[in-house]
Structures are given as structure tokens and as C-alpha cells.
Amino acid sequence: MKVIGNLLLLAVIAAVISFFAAPAVAFFAIRSAADASDTAALTRLVDYAGVRQSLRPQLTGNAAAIAPAPSFLEDPIGAVRRQLEQAAPVVGPTPDIYLTPAALAALTRGEGRYAAQRTTATTGEAERANPFPEPVFWGVNRARMAVTDEGGSQTIFTFERRGPFEWRLVHIGLPDGVAPAPSAVTTAPPAKSGQTGR
């Protein structure tokens, strides 16, 4: 009877640890799926509609887009203006540049806004920095984790619970500052002025 009680206690402890560790597991699963360009796994782990909605105001630089819309009774002109602005086509970069597998992998490694420049994932293990995310907020249904780049800027990932142990990425907060460039672009040295092509 004592053995059954101990096994039951261990099962409860394991379930509690798994319950609280699930967002971190989801973060590393996104990094792994992005490295492998596994779009099916990313579809299960990322709420693309929610992440697009979170990125759009950050890319357009329109801070008012994040604020709640004014009430028609309190500010009728502002409410109408907000409706017209939302109906207008969005000018600026599309959030999809951050939702490719290569860009998602770069975001999980703290490349911040430079992640949009990634077209392919880094292949060599030596090229990959694998920073460990630090918890910023941990709740029963929502968790936030931050990855800090070399300059101290943070990319924040917000996960929402969709089941007892299932979490999905719903929001990405890009850093305000400039992150270090992911890789140096090498160019051919310029030709000397005295040389001409033959």
C-alpha cells in the first residue's frame, strides 16, 4: 500500500512539474521545428493570426493601433477616424516576414528585428547561439518568456494555454532597440582605380 501511495505522489509531482514546464517545452519545440522547417509542427505550436495581429502595430510604428478604440459616445470624431484608419490598407512591412521558419528560429535566438533578414536557418551548430529563455510572467493560462540579445534588448514570447499541457504562441514582442546583426555580409573588395578590365 505504501508503494502505491509513493507512486501516486510521484505521479502528482510529475504532473505538476509538467503543468508548469509546458510553456518552456513549447518554446523549445518552436525553436526545434523552425530549425527543421517543420511547418506542420509550427502550425500546431503558433497561433499565426494572433501573432500577426501582435506584430502589425510594432512594424507600422503606430502606437495608437495598440490602444483601445475610443467610444463613440465619448469621442465620436475619434471613433470614426479609428474606423477609417482600420479600413485603410496597411502600409509598411508585412508581419509574415517574421513568421517564416528561419525568422522564427532567429527570434528564439534573440536576433530581434534582424530576424526578418533570415531566409534560411543556420546550419552549423557552431553558428547557432541557443540562449535560454527567462520567464517574465507565469500564470495558469498565460506565460511570457524573454530572450535577451547581446545588446540587452529583449524579444518577448507570450504563450496561452489551449489544454492541460498544450500551449500556443499568441504574441511576439519585438525589442525597441537595435539588435546585433545576425551575420556579416561579405562583399568583394573594390577594384583599384588604376586597373581596367580587358
Side-chain angles (χ1 to χ4, degrees), residues 7-8 18 20 27 48 129 162:
L7 289 175
L8 185 61
S18 299
F20 287 104
F27 176 88
Y48 282 103
R162 299 293 169 89

Side-chain angles (χ1 to χ4, degrees), residues 17-182:
I17 291 171
S18 299
F19 183 83
F20 287 104
V25 171
F27 176 88
F28 287 111
I30 288 172
R31 180 184 284 174
S32 178
D35 284 340
S37 295
D38 186 349
T39 54
L42 288 172
T43 302
R44 289 192 304 271
L45 295 164
V46 179
D47 179 355
Y48 282 103
V51 175
R52 278 188 192 96
Q53 186 176 357
S54 73
L55 288 171
R56 193 166 283 117
Q58 298 178 69
L59 298 178
T60 59
N62 183 6
I66 304 172
S71 166
F72 187 78
L73 294 175
E74 295 173 358
D75 183 8
I77 295 172
V80 170
R81 181 183 303 128
R82 181 68 175 266
Q83 289 297 323
L84 293 174
E85 287 174 355
Q86 288 177 348
V90 177
V91 178
T94 173
D96 290 339
I97 60 175
Y98 286 99
L99 296 178
T100 64
L104 284 170
L107 284 169
T108 65
R109 290 186 167 87
E111 292 186 11
R113 293 183 183 266
Y114 281 96
Q117 298 175 358
R118 288 283 189 195
T119 55
T120 58
T122 54
T123 54
E125 289 295 326
E127 296 177 19
R128 292 181 183 172
N130 292 307
F132 200 83
E134 56 185 88
V136 177
F137 172 80
W138 214 274
V140 175
N141 293 317
R142 186 173 283 251
R144 287 190 184 93
M145 286 178 281
V147 178
T148 307
D149 66 17
E150 295 173 3
S153 299
Q154 290 186 328
T155 302
I156 298 175
F157 300 84
T158 303
F159 292 86
E160 266 186 10
R161 181 181 300 284
R162 299 293 169 89
F165 301 101
E166 181 185 354
W167 291 75
R168 290 189 81 190
L169 179 66
V170 295
H171 187 282
I172 296 176
L174 297 174
D176 292 331
V178 177

